[in-house]
Amino acid sequence: MSNSGAYQGGIYGIPVVGRFMQWLDATPHPAVAIEFTPEQVSAARFTRAGSLDGFAVEALPPGALVASPIETNIVNPIAVKAAVASVTKTLKLKDEAAALIVPDPVIRVFVQHFDDFPRSADEAVPMLRWKLKKSVPFEVDETLLSYMLQPSRGEGIDVVTAIARLRIIKEYEALLEPQDCGRVWS
């Protein structure tokens, strides 16, 4: 079911935002999203129909989270975990799948043009890692990589590649794992 008609007013009237929301609507995703910024942790739950079911925001103390593609991001884990616990409690989240939205500097995005591109991920991923080796400030073998094929305006194919240091992504994922003193999820 498409909600394209729902994205017409306000900010959704801006063509690029409307198209992005339609893309999100067409892409399978968890009903819960948790966003991290240096200033706050936010969480939102959506209904199956795509409308907002609830949201929560918890401010972070200055310096608790520092967005970086190479350095430790979670500088004050106690404060950030407390913010995560607060937003998950507000939304009454219980062991649900959640999309984690990390700060923009953590992820590097590239658009590369290829005359020919492998069909299998087993061949494509090593090739993309090799091509990006000199373009990122970390070892490409220690990364999480995702890519999407896009039609090119000319011949060949464009590949949008997102790459992040795996160690940094695991910092964010660890914020939602069970803790020694109980679960983050209430």
Side-chain angles (χ1 to χ4, degrees):
M1 178 173 128
S2 175
N3 285 337
S4 59
Y7 303 121
Q8 292 179 359
I11 192 169
Y12 302 112
I14 300 170
V16 69
V17 174
R19 286 192 307 274
F20 178 72
M21 293 305 292
Q22 288 175 350
W23 174 79
L24 276 179
D25 194 35
T27 304
H29 54 278
V32 174
I34 301 173
E35 178 182 28
F36 296 90
T37 71
E39 296 81 26
Q40 65 192 28
V41 175
S42 309
R45 180 198 303 272
F46 298 90
T47 66
R48 287 184 187 247
S51 61
L52 183 64
D53 187 36
F55 70 94
V57 178
E58 186 68 34
L60 291 173
L65 188 154
V66 178
S68 169
I70 55 176
E71 301 295 330
T72 297
N73 280 222
I74 312 302
V75 179
N76 183 344
I78 294 171
V80 181
K81 286 178 186 178
V84 170
S86 176
V87 298
T88 58
K89 183 177 181 183
T90 299
L91 290 179
K92 298 178 176 86
L93 301 178
K94 297 185 186 293
D95 295 325
E96 299 175 47
L100 299 184
I101 304 169
V102 299
D104 288 347
V106 172
I107 309 290
R108 298 293 172 115
V109 178
F110 299 88
V111 178
Q112 296 177 303
H113 182 79
F114 294 89
D115 292 329
D116 191 29
F117 193 75
R119 290 184 181 223
S120 81
D122 290 340
E123 294 175 17
V125 170
M127 183 180 71
L128 289 168
R129 286 185 198 278
W130 178 78
K131 293 229 5 149
L132 294 172
K133 185 180 270 191
K134 293 183 180 177
S135 301
V136 294
F138 42 78
E139 291 294 323
V140 294
D141 295 334
E142 306 169 354
T143 60
L144 183 62
L145 184 141
S146 180
Y147 67 94
M148 184 171 54
L149 306 178
Q150 296 289 311
S152 175
R153 292 186 178 180
E155 296 293 316
I157 191 159
D158 290 332
V159 179
V160 179
T161 307
I163 190 167
R165 195 169 188 189
L166 186 58
R167 179 180 64 78
I168 302 296
I169 298 301
K170 286 188 179 288
E171 285 183 48
Y172 289 95
E173 292 175 340
L175 295 168
L176 300 175
E177 292 176 359
Q179 308 302 310
D180 294 336
C181 59
R183 297 192 64 79
V184 168
W185 300 97
S186 55

